[in-house]
Amino acid sequence: MAARATIFYALFLTSLELLLTRHVSFAAGGKWNLLLPNVGISAMHMQLLRNDRVVMFDRTNFGPSNISLPNGNCRNNPNDAVSKIDCTAHSIEYDVASNTVRPLTVQSNTWCSSGSVRPDGVLVQTGGDRDGELKARTFTPCNNDRCDWAEINNGLARRRWYSSNHILPDGKQIIVGGTRQFNYEFYPKTTSPNVIALPFLAETNDRGQENNLYPYVFLNTDGNLFIFANNRAILLDYTKNTVVKTFPAIPGGDPRSYPSTGSAVLLPLKNLEAVKIDAEVLVCGGAPKGSFILARRNTFVRALDTCARIKINDENPQWTVEKMPRARVMGDMTLLPNGDVLLINGGSSGSAAWELGREPVFVPDLYHPENPVNSRFESLNPSKIPRMYHSAAVLLRDGRVLVGGSNPHAFYNFTGVLFPTELSLEAFSPVYLEPEFANLRPKIMAPKSQSSIKYRMNLKLKFKVAGEVKGPVKVTMVFPSFTTHSFSMNQRLLVLDNVKFTRNGKSTNYEVLVRTPRSAIIAPPGYYMMFVVNQNIPSEGIWVRLQ
Ligand SMILES: *[C@@H]1O[C@H](CO)[C@@H](O)[C@H](O)[C@H]1NC(C)=O
Ligand SMILES: *[C@@H]1O[C@H](CO)[C@@H](O)[C@H](O)[C@H]1NC(C)=O
C-alpha cells in the first residue's frame, strides 16, 4: 500500500513537474518582431554606438545592394565581378529610436573585418579584403545624419582578414590573427613594424580548413589576454609578448573557430573588489573536425551540441563540458543585461563559408550561468527567418536583441539559392520585456544617460519600481560589442558591487550605491550601457562614459 502510494505520488509529481516545466518554458518564450523587411544590405557586421544607432556593413565587391549611396554618388569598383560602377551602399546606420536606416559610404572592401569602439565613442574598424585589407576606418557618431566613414590608408601593418580585435586598458586596440597571419598588431600603430609573432595561431591552424580564424579574445581580470583558437587557448601577456599560461584542449578536441564556427563569451564578471577576480569563459557549438571539407563535398555533418566552460584564473584550469538543447554552428552568443547568455542564429549542420551551412536553427536557447549544471538551458520561441552564415545579433539599450544578416553566397542572391540573402532586421525581445513584468521593471532616474563616471568611486543610482523589489538589486554594465561571424568582440558584462541599498520610506523610489570598477583592466575606458536589475528584470539601460 505504502509502496503504491509512493509510486502514485512520484507519478503525480512527475506530471506536475512536466506541467510546470511546460508552463515555465512557455512563459520564457520571448517574442520576435520584424523591424524592417529590407534595410538594403546584409547586416554582416554590426556595432551599437552611444547614440543608439547601429552601424552595419557587408562587402563592396559582390554586386549592387538594395540601397543607393547618398546624394546620387557612385563608386568605381574595378574589383567587382558584377558591377564595376556601383551606385549602391554597402554600409548603413540603423536608428533604433526611429526604426529607420540611412546609407553610408564605404569605399574599400570591408568584408570579414573586425573592430572596436574607442574610449571616446568612435568606432574603429580594421581590415577587410583586397583594397580594404590594410585599411583602418573610423566612424564618429552624430545625431544630425551627417557623419560618415573616414578611411585611413595603411592603417594596418599586415593584411587583416578574419581577425579579432579587443579594446585595451590604454584605449588602443589589439588585432589578433586573420587569414595567414600568425601574429598580432596594435592600432593605432605603436612601434615599427608593429607586428608580433604568435606561434599559437600557426599551431592551431588545421591545414586546408584553418579552424583558427576570428579567435575568441577576452581581456582577463589580471590584464592578460585570453586567446582561444580551434579547440584550445592561451593567456598572453601582450605587453611582454609572452604566453603566461596554456590551457588544455576542450575534451573531444573538435574545433570551435571559423569555419568550424562556434561562439564564445566571457561570463559576467562579479565580486569586482576581490583581490583576485574570477573570470570564466563559455564556448558553445562549432563543427566537428573535417566538417568544412566534407560540406564542400556535399556531406553536411551534424554540428557540435556542447558548450565548454572554464575558470581561466584557476591554478589548474579544466573545461567542464555541458550539453546544449541542440547542435549549433554559426550561432551568436549575446550577454543580456541580467547576466544570462542568449544563443541565437546559425544552423545545425555543415560549416561556415559560402553555401556550406544547413538546417537553420530557429530556436534561441537561453543559458543561465548561475544555475547548476544540467539546469542551465531554456529553449525559447522560434523565429521564422533562417539566419545562416553572415548573420549577427547585438544587444540594444532597451534590452532587445537586434538580429540581422545572412548572406551565405558570393553575391546578393535573392532567388535560386537555398538560403537567399536576407536584408531584413528583426528584434528578439526576451521574456523580461513582457508586460506582465512591467511592475518589477526598474526605471533609472539618476544619473542621466551620457553621464561620465570614474574608476574606483561610489556611484549612486536612483530608480523607481512600482511593484515589489527584492533587494539588493543588481547593477550591471555592458560594453557594446562589434559583432560578426558569430563572435561579439569586446563583449563584457560587469556586475558592480553593492555598497548600500535604500528605499525612501514606503515610496516607489529607491537608491543603490555601487562601486565602480577599480581599473581599466577590469573595465577598459569607454561608453557602457548601465542597467538596474530587479529579480532578473532589467531596467532600460543608460549610457555612461567610464574614464
Ligand atoms: C530594391 O529592390 C526593389 C525590389 O526589387 C527595387 O524595386 C528597387 O529598385 C531596389 N533598390 C535599389 C536601390 O536597388
Ligand atoms: C547569384 O548572383 C550572381 C550575380 O548576380 C549570378 O551571376 C549568379 O548566377 C547567381 N546565382 C544563382 C544561383 O542564381
Side-chain angles (χ1 to χ4, degrees), residues 306-346:
T306 54
C307 295
R309 179 166 163 170
I310 195 166
K311 288 189 169 157
I312 65 177
N313 291 329
D314 272 5
E315 287 290 310
N316 179 23
Q318 297 296 328
W319 295 98
T320 306
V321 176
E322 301 173 63
K323 211 159 162 64
M324 296 196 281
R326 71 206 80 249
R328 200 185 287 266
V329 59
M330 299 180 286
D332 278 282
M333 289 170 78
T334 308
L335 289 167
L336 300 180
N338 61 7
D340 287 342
V341 186
L342 183 69
L343 283 78
I344 197 165
N345 298 343

mmCIF file of all heavy atoms in Angstrom, residues 306-346:
data_model
loop_
_atom_site.group_PDB
_atom_site.id
_atom_site.type_symbol
_atom_site.label_atom_id
_atom_site.label_comp_id
_atom_site.label_asym_id
_atom_site.label_seq_id
_atom_site.Cartn_x
_atom_site.Cartn_y
_atom_site.Cartn_z
ATOM 1 N N THR A 306 27.605 20.874 -27.811
ATOM 2 C CA THR A 306 28.151 21.060 -26.465
ATOM 3 C C THR A 306 28.702 22.464 -26.265
ATOM 4 O O THR A 306 29.075 23.151 -27.216
ATOM 5 C CB THR A 306 29.300 20.075 -26.194
ATOM 6 O OG1 THR A 306 30.269 20.211 -27.249
ATOM 7 C CG2 THR A 306 28.807 18.645 -26.114
ATOM 8 N N CYS A 307 28.722 22.855 -24.991
ATOM 9 C CA CYS A 307 29.438 24.064 -24.573
ATOM 10 C C CYS A 307 30.561 23.609 -23.646
ATOM 11 O O CYS A 307 30.450 22.560 -23.006
ATOM 12 C CB CYS A 307 28.540 24.983 -23.756
ATOM 13 S SG CYS A 307 27.151 25.664 -24.640
ATOM 14 N N ALA A 308 31.589 24.414 -23.553
ATOM 15 C CA ALA A 308 32.667 24.127 -22.616
ATOM 16 C C ALA A 308 32.947 25.393 -21.824
ATOM 17 O O ALA A 308 32.976 26.493 -22.376
ATOM 18 C CB ALA A 308 33.907 23.664 -23.356
ATOM 19 N N ARG A 309 33.091 25.208 -20.519
ATOM 20 C CA ARG A 309 33.228 26.360 -19.624
ATOM 21 C C ARG A 309 34.484 26.187 -18.780
ATOM 22 O O ARG A 309 34.779 25.090 -18.311
ATOM 23 C CB ARG A 309 31.964 26.414 -18.755
ATOM 24 C CG ARG A 309 31.905 27.517 -17.750
ATOM 25 C CD ARG A 309 30.470 27.634 -17.244
ATOM 26 N NE ARG A 309 30.417 28.398 -15.999
ATOM 27 C CZ ARG A 309 29.295 28.816 -15.440
ATOM 28 N NH1 ARG A 309 28.126 28.538 -15.978
ATOM 29 N NH2 ARG A 309 29.324 29.504 -14.320
ATOM 30 N N ILE A 310 35.200 27.274 -18.575
ATOM 31 C CA ILE A 310 36.473 27.171 -17.846
ATOM 32 C C ILE A 310 36.713 28.409 -16.990
ATOM 33 O O ILE A 310 36.404 29.526 -17.406
ATOM 34 C CB ILE A 310 37.645 26.945 -18.846
ATOM 35 C CG1 ILE A 310 38.902 26.471 -18.144
ATOM 36 C CG2 ILE A 310 37.917 28.183 -19.691
ATOM 37 C CD1 ILE A 310 39.966 25.905 -19.082
ATOM 38 N N LYS A 311 37.236 28.164 -15.778
ATOM 39 C CA LYS A 311 37.637 29.267 -14.892
ATOM 40 C C LYS A 311 39.085 29.587 -15.218
ATOM 41 O O LYS A 311 39.991 28.845 -14.830
ATOM 42 C CB LYS A 311 37.514 28.837 -13.429
ATOM 43 C CG LYS A 311 36.082 28.711 -12.969
ATOM 44 C CD LYS A 311 36.009 28.489 -11.468
ATOM 45 C CE LYS A 311 34.576 28.653 -11.021
ATOM 46 N NZ LYS A 311 34.264 27.990 -9.777
ATOM 47 N N ILE A 312 39.286 30.677 -15.931
ATOM 48 C CA ILE A 312 40.608 30.892 -16.523
ATOM 49 C C ILE A 312 41.669 31.296 -15.510
ATOM 50 O O ILE A 312 42.854 31.210 -15.798
ATOM 51 C CB ILE A 312 40.550 31.873 -17.723
ATOM 52 C CG1 ILE A 312 40.146 33.275 -17.294
ATOM 53 C CG2 ILE A 312 39.623 31.362 -18.795
ATOM 54 C CD1 ILE A 312 40.153 34.271 -18.465
ATOM 55 N N ASN A 313 41.260 31.720 -14.307
ATOM 56 C CA ASN A 313 42.260 32.107 -13.314
ATOM 57 C C ASN A 313 42.555 31.011 -12.290
ATOM 58 O O ASN A 313 43.292 31.241 -11.334
ATOM 59 C CB ASN A 313 41.840 33.404 -12.613
ATOM 60 C CG ASN A 313 41.911 34.579 -13.572
ATOM 61 O OD1 ASN A 313 42.742 34.593 -14.495
ATOM 62 N ND2 ASN A 313 41.039 35.564 -13.404
ATOM 63 N N ASP A 314 41.981 29.820 -12.498
ATOM 64 C CA ASP A 314 42.305 28.698 -11.614
ATOM 65 C C ASP A 314 43.767 28.301 -11.769
ATOM 66 O O ASP A 314 44.369 28.507 -12.817
ATOM 67 C CB ASP A 314 41.432 27.482 -11.970
ATOM 68 C CG ASP A 314 40.105 27.504 -11.226
ATOM 69 O OD1 ASP A 314 39.836 28.504 -10.529
ATOM 70 O OD2 ASP A 314 39.342 26.524 -11.363
ATOM 71 N N GLU A 315 44.292 27.666 -10.705
ATOM 72 C CA GLU A 315 45.665 27.149 -10.743
ATOM 73 C C GLU A 315 45.825 26.126 -11.859
ATOM 74 O O GLU A 315 46.807 26.121 -12.584
ATOM 75 C CB GLU A 315 45.990 26.462 -9.405
ATOM 76 C CG GLU A 315 46.195 27.411 -8.236
ATOM 77 C CD GLU A 315 47.479 28.213 -8.372
ATOM 78 O OE1 GLU A 315 48.528 27.580 -8.619
ATOM 79 O OE2 GLU A 315 47.436 29.460 -8.263
ATOM 80 N N ASN A 316 44.812 25.255 -11.932
ATOM 81 C CA ASN A 316 44.874 24.152 -12.884
ATOM 82 C C ASN A 316 43.547 24.106 -13.648
ATOM 83 O O ASN A 316 42.702 23.264 -13.387
ATOM 84 C CB ASN A 316 45.129 22.860 -12.084
ATOM 85 C CG ASN A 316 45.177 21.650 -12.977
ATOM 86 O OD1 ASN A 316 45.439 21.763 -14.184
ATOM 87 N ND2 ASN A 316 44.883 20.492 -12.410
ATOM 88 N N PRO A 317 43.349 25.048 -14.562
ATOM 89 C CA PRO A 317 42.023 25.205 -15.174
ATOM 90 C C PRO A 317 41.621 24.005 -16.029
ATOM 91 O O PRO A 317 42.457 23.447 -16.745
ATOM 92 C CB PRO A 317 42.182 26.445 -16.058
ATOM 93 C CG PRO A 317 43.550 26.957 -15.855
ATOM 94 C CD PRO A 317 44.354 25.931 -15.152
ATOM 95 N N GLN A 318 40.373 23.590 -15.913
ATOM 96 C CA GLN A 318 39.839 22.458 -16.675
ATOM 97 C C GLN A 318 38.506 22.855 -17.292
ATOM 98 O O GLN A 318 37.744 23.595 -16.683
ATOM 99 C CB GLN A 318 39.610 21.251 -15.741
ATOM 100 C CG GLN A 318 40.885 20.705 -15.104
ATOM 101 C CD GLN A 318 41.891 20.138 -16.089
ATOM 102 O OE1 GLN A 318 41.515 19.603 -17.131
ATOM 103 N NE2 GLN A 318 43.188 20.288 -15.789
ATOM 104 N N TRP A 319 38.250 22.341 -18.477
ATOM 105 C CA TRP A 319 36.966 22.611 -19.125
ATOM 106 C C TRP A 319 35.885 21.710 -18.546
ATOM 107 O O TRP A 319 36.122 20.523 -18.340
ATOM 108 C CB TRP A 319 37.060 22.328 -20.625
ATOM 109 C CG TRP A 319 37.991 23.229 -21.375
ATOM 110 C CD1 TRP A 319 39.276 22.949 -21.720
ATOM 111 C CD2 TRP A 319 37.702 24.525 -21.896
ATOM 112 N NE1 TRP A 319 39.802 24.012 -22.434
ATOM 113 C CE2 TRP A 319 38.864 24.979 -22.556
ATOM 114 C CE3 TRP A 319 36.571 25.355 -21.881
ATOM 115 C CZ2 TRP A 319 38.935 26.230 -23.189
ATOM 116 C CZ3 TRP A 319 36.632 26.595 -22.503
ATOM 117 C CH2 TRP A 319 37.807 27.023 -23.139
ATOM 118 N N THR A 320 34.715 22.261 -18.319
ATOM 119 C CA THR A 320 33.534 21.463 -17.995
ATOM 120 C C THR A 320 32.647 21.492 -19.232
ATOM 121 O O THR A 320 32.307 22.562 -19.719
ATOM 122 C CB THR A 320 32.759 22.089 -16.817
ATOM 123 O OG1 THR A 320 33.655 22.249 -15.747
ATOM 124 C CG2 THR A 320 31.596 21.217 -16.398
ATOM 125 N N VAL A 321 32.328 20.298 -19.731
ATOM 126 C CA VAL A 321 31.525 20.239 -20.954
ATOM 127 C C VAL A 321 30.057 20.044 -20.588
ATOM 128 O O VAL A 321 29.726 19.238 -19.726
ATOM 129 C CB VAL A 321 32.035 19.101 -21.869
ATOM 130 C CG1 VAL A 321 31.154 18.962 -23.109
ATOM 131 C CG2 VAL A 321 33.481 19.376 -22.282
ATOM 132 N N GLU A 322 29.194 20.831 -21.207
ATOM 133 C CA GLU A 322 27.755 20.741 -20.972
ATOM 134 C C GLU A 322 27.059 20.531 -22.304
ATOM 135 O O GLU A 322 27.500 21.055 -23.324
ATOM 136 C CB GLU A 322 27.230 22.050 -20.369
ATOM 137 C CG GLU A 322 27.867 22.430 -19.066
ATOM 138 C CD GLU A 322 27.426 23.821 -18.607
ATOM 139 O OE1 GLU A 322 26.227 24.016 -18.351
ATOM 140 O OE2 GLU A 322 28.286 24.713 -18.536
ATOM 141 N N LYS A 323 25.952 19.807 -22.259
ATOM 142 C CA LYS A 323 25.205 19.559 -23.481
ATOM 143 C C LYS A 323 24.208 20.693 -23.703
ATOM 144 O O LYS A 323 23.529 21.132 -22.791
ATOM 145 C CB LYS A 323 24.467 18.221 -23.356
ATOM 146 C CG LYS A 323 24.299 17.521 -24.679
ATOM 147 C CD LYS A 323 24.054 16.027 -24.455
ATOM 148 C CE LYS A 323 23.453 15.390 -25.686
ATOM 149 N NZ LYS A 323 24.317 15.400 -26.847
ATOM 150 N N MET A 324 24.120 21.146 -24.959
ATOM 151 C CA MET A 324 23.128 22.165 -25.313
ATOM 152 C C MET A 324 21.837 21.455 -25.718
ATOM 153 O O MET A 324 21.861 20.277 -26.053
ATOM 154 C CB MET A 324 23.610 22.986 -26.515
ATOM 155 C CG MET A 324 24.861 23.800 -26.288
ATOM 156 S SD MET A 324 25.040 25.045 -27.588
ATOM 157 C CE MET A 324 25.680 24.090 -28.939
ATOM 158 N N PRO A 325 20.726 22.200 -25.762
ATOM 159 C CA PRO A 325 19.482 21.560 -26.218
ATOM 160 C C PRO A 325 19.557 21.102 -27.674
ATOM 161 O O PRO A 325 18.753 20.293 -28.107
ATOM 162 C CB PRO A 325 18.436 22.662 -26.062
ATOM 163 C CG PRO A 325 19.023 23.643 -25.114
ATOM 164 C CD PRO A 325 20.513 23.561 -25.287
ATOM 165 N N ARG A 326 20.493 21.644 -28.450
ATOM 166 C CA ARG A 326 20.563 21.263 -29.871
ATOM 167 C C ARG A 326 21.961 21.596 -30.404
ATOM 168 O O ARG A 326 22.701 22.364 -29.796
ATOM 169 C CB ARG A 326 19.497 22.001 -30.685
ATOM 170 C CG ARG A 326 19.736 23.477 -30.864
ATOM 171 C CD ARG A 326 18.457 24.257 -31.092
ATOM 172 N NE ARG A 326 17.770 24.502 -29.826
ATOM 173 C CZ ARG A 326 16.633 23.940 -29.488
ATOM 174 N NH1 ARG A 326 16.007 23.147 -30.306
ATOM 175 N NH2 ARG A 326 16.094 24.183 -28.299
ATOM 176 N N ALA A 327 22.254 21.021 -31.572
ATOM 177 C CA ALA A 327 23.521 21.310 -32.232
ATOM 178 C C ALA A 327 23.445 22.701 -32.863
ATOM 179 O O ALA A 327 22.376 23.119 -33.328
ATOM 180 C CB ALA A 327 23.788 20.265 -33.306
ATOM 181 N N ARG A 328 24.571 23.417 -32.883
ATOM 182 C CA ARG A 328 24.556 24.774 -33.450
ATOM 183 C C ARG A 328 25.941 25.139 -33.985
ATOM 184 O O ARG A 328 26.940 25.021 -33.285
ATOM 185 C CB ARG A 328 24.119 25.771 -32.372
ATOM 186 C CG ARG A 328 23.607 27.105 -32.911
ATOM 187 C CD ARG A 328 23.302 28.084 -31.771
ATOM 188 N NE ARG A 328 22.110 27.800 -30.991
ATOM 189 C CZ ARG A 328 20.907 28.322 -31.212
ATOM 190 N NH1 ARG A 328 20.724 29.174 -32.185
ATOM 191 N NH2 ARG A 328 19.888 28.006 -30.419
ATOM 192 N N VAL A 329 25.973 25.554 -35.227
ATOM 193 C CA VAL A 329 27.189 26.121 -35.813
ATOM 194 C C VAL A 329 26.803 27.507 -36.304
ATOM 195 O O VAL A 329 25.646 27.717 -36.701
ATOM 196 C CB VAL A 329 27.727 25.198 -36.943
ATOM 197 C CG1 VAL A 329 26.727 24.985 -38.070
ATOM 198 C CG2 VAL A 329 29.038 25.707 -37.526
ATOM 199 N N MET A 330 27.711 28.467 -36.243
ATOM 200 C CA MET A 330 27.435 29.850 -36.655
ATOM 201 C C MET A 330 26.367 30.525 -35.794
ATOM 202 O O MET A 330 25.607 31.355 -36.287
ATOM 203 C CB MET A 330 26.989 29.921 -38.124
ATOM 204 C CG MET A 330 28.019 29.417 -39.099
ATOM 205 S SD MET A 330 27.426 29.529 -40.788
ATOM 206 C CE MET A 330 26.241 28.201 -40.867
ATOM 207 N N GLY A 331 26.269 30.113 -34.540
ATOM 208 C CA GLY A 331 25.352 30.791 -33.627
ATOM 209 C C GLY A 331 26.002 32.042 -33.065
ATOM 210 O O GLY A 331 27.220 32.210 -33.144
ATOM 211 N N ASP A 332 25.190 32.937 -32.510
ATOM 212 C CA ASP A 332 25.722 34.102 -31.799
ATOM 213 C C ASP A 332 25.465 33.921 -30.320
ATOM 214 O O ASP A 332 24.459 33.343 -29.927
ATOM 215 C CB ASP A 332 24.997 35.371 -32.264
ATOM 216 C CG ASP A 332 25.581 35.904 -33.557
ATOM 217 O OD1 ASP A 332 26.641 36.537 -33.494
ATOM 218 O OD2 ASP A 332 24.983 35.656 -34.619
ATOM 219 N N MET A 333 26.384 34.424 -29.504
ATOM 220 C CA MET A 333 26.162 34.428 -28.059
ATOM 221 C C MET A 333 26.128 35.877 -27.590
ATOM 222 O O MET A 333 27.097 36.616 -27.757
ATOM 223 C CB MET A 333 27.263 33.642 -27.350
ATOM 224 C CG MET A 333 27.148 32.137 -27.612
ATOM 225 S SD MET A 333 28.564 31.207 -27.032
ATOM 226 C CE MET A 333 28.248 31.135 -25.271
ATOM 227 N N THR A 334 24.982 36.255 -26.999
ATOM 228 C CA THR A 334 24.776 37.642 -26.592
ATOM 229 C C THR A 334 24.507 37.694 -25.093
ATOM 230 O O THR A 334 23.613 37.000 -24.599
ATOM 231 C CB THR A 334 23.562 38.231 -27.350
ATOM 232 O OG1 THR A 334 23.752 38.009 -28.745
ATOM 233 C CG2 THR A 334 23.433 39.722 -27.105
ATOM 234 N N LEU A 335 25.294 38.508 -24.389
ATOM 235 C CA LEU A 335 25.073 38.682 -22.954
ATOM 236 C C LEU A 335 23.882 39.609 -22.758
ATOM 237 O O LEU A 335 23.853 40.714 -23.316
ATOM 238 C CB LEU A 335 26.310 39.308 -22.302
ATOM 239 C CG LEU A 335 27.541 38.413 -22.185
ATOM 240 C CD1 LEU A 335 28.764 39.257 -21.828
ATOM 241 C CD2 LEU A 335 27.324 37.331 -21.138
ATOM 242 N N LEU A 336 22.904 39.165 -21.980
ATOM 243 C CA LEU A 336 21.742 40.001 -21.691
ATOM 244 C C LEU A 336 22.018 40.820 -20.428
ATOM 245 O O LEU A 336 22.878 40.438 -19.620
ATOM 246 C CB LEU A 336 20.506 39.114 -21.514
ATOM 247 C CG LEU A 336 20.150 38.265 -22.754
ATOM 248 C CD1 LEU A 336 18.908 37.408 -22.483
ATOM 249 C CD2 LEU A 336 19.916 39.169 -23.970
ATOM 250 N N PRO A 337 21.298 41.934 -20.235
ATOM 251 C CA PRO A 337 21.607 42.833 -19.116
ATOM 252 C C PRO A 337 21.532 42.167 -17.742
ATOM 253 O O PRO A 337 22.180 42.611 -16.805
ATOM 254 C CB PRO A 337 20.522 43.919 -19.218
ATOM 255 C CG PRO A 337 19.985 43.839 -20.596
ATOM 256 C CD PRO A 337 20.242 42.456 -21.108
ATOM 257 N N ASN A 338 20.765 41.075 -17.622
ATOM 258 C CA ASN A 338 20.654 40.406 -16.318
ATOM 259 C C ASN A 338 21.713 39.327 -16.125
ATOM 260 O O ASN A 338 21.708 38.609 -15.141
ATOM 261 C CB ASN A 338 19.241 39.823 -16.142
ATOM 262 C CG ASN A 338 18.890 38.786 -17.195
ATOM 263 O OD1 ASN A 338 19.746 38.400 -18.002
ATOM 264 N ND2 ASN A 338 17.659 38.332 -17.204
ATOM 265 N N GLY A 339 22.620 39.186 -17.096
ATOM 266 C CA GLY A 339 23.724 38.241 -16.946
ATOM 267 C C GLY A 339 23.472 36.902 -17.616
ATOM 268 O O GLY A 339 24.362 36.059 -17.672
ATOM 269 N N ASP A 340 22.275 36.672 -18.139
ATOM 270 C CA ASP A 340 22.026 35.440 -18.889
ATOM 271 C C ASP A 340 22.677 35.543 -20.265
ATOM 272 O O ASP A 340 22.955 36.639 -20.750
ATOM 273 C CB ASP A 340 20.521 35.192 -19.061
ATOM 274 C CG ASP A 340 19.859 34.738 -17.771
ATOM 275 O OD1 ASP A 340 20.588 34.283 -16.863
ATOM 276 O OD2 ASP A 340 18.625 34.847 -17.658
ATOM 277 N N VAL A 341 22.893 34.385 -20.902
ATOM 278 C CA VAL A 341 23.513 34.358 -22.226
ATOM 279 C C VAL A 341 22.497 33.829 -23.232
ATOM 280 O O VAL A 341 21.923 32.763 -23.033
ATOM 281 C CB VAL A 341 24.758 33.441 -22.249
ATOM 282 C CG1 VAL A 341 25.475 33.534 -23.598
ATOM 283 C CG2 VAL A 341 25.705 33.789 -21.110
ATOM 284 N N LEU A 342 22.289 34.577 -24.299
ATOM 285 C CA LEU A 342 21.363 34.155 -25.346
ATOM 286 C C LEU A 342 22.157 33.510 -26.478
ATOM 287 O O LEU A 342 23.114 34.086 -26.988
ATOM 288 C CB LEU A 342 20.612 35.382 -25.870
ATOM 289 C CG LEU A 342 19.538 35.111 -26.925
ATOM 290 C CD1 LEU A 342 18.352 34.378 -26.322
ATOM 291 C CD2 LEU A 342 19.078 36.420 -27.560
ATOM 292 N N LEU A 343 21.771 32.291 -26.851
ATOM 293 C CA LEU A 343 22.371 31.628 -28.030
ATOM 294 C C LEU A 343 21.338 31.704 -29.135
ATOM 295 O O LEU A 343 20.196 31.246 -28.961
ATOM 296 C CB LEU A 343 22.680 30.165 -27.723
ATOM 297 C CG LEU A 343 23.917 29.871 -26.878
ATOM 298 C CD1 LEU A 343 23.672 30.125 -25.412
ATOM 299 C CD2 LEU A 343 24.340 28.428 -27.062
ATOM 300 N N ILE A 344 21.730 32.259 -30.258
ATOM 301 C CA ILE A 344 20.750 32.601 -31.285
ATOM 302 C C ILE A 344 21.412 32.487 -32.664
ATOM 303 O O ILE A 344 22.639 32.579 -32.762
ATOM 304 C CB ILE A 344 20.219 34.035 -30.963
ATOM 305 C CG1 ILE A 344 18.927 34.371 -31.682
ATOM 306 C CG2 ILE A 344 21.275 35.092 -31.182
ATOM 307 C CD1 ILE A 344 18.225 35.596 -31.096
ATOM 308 N N ASN A 345 20.602 32.256 -33.691
ATOM 309 C CA ASN A 345 21.082 32.179 -35.087
ATOM 310 C C ASN A 345 21.854 30.876 -35.379
ATOM 311 O O ASN A 345 22.141 30.098 -34.487
ATOM 312 C CB ASN A 345 21.974 33.369 -35.470
ATOM 313 C CG ASN A 345 21.260 34.701 -35.396
ATOM 314 O OD1 ASN A 345 20.041 34.753 -35.373
ATOM 315 N ND2 ASN A 345 22.019 35.777 -35.364
ATOM 316 N N GLY A 346 22.192 30.716 -36.665
ATOM 317 C CA GLY A 346 23.037 29.596 -37.075
ATOM 318 C C GLY A 346 22.260 28.411 -37.629
ATOM 319 O O GLY A 346 21.054 28.485 -37.875
#
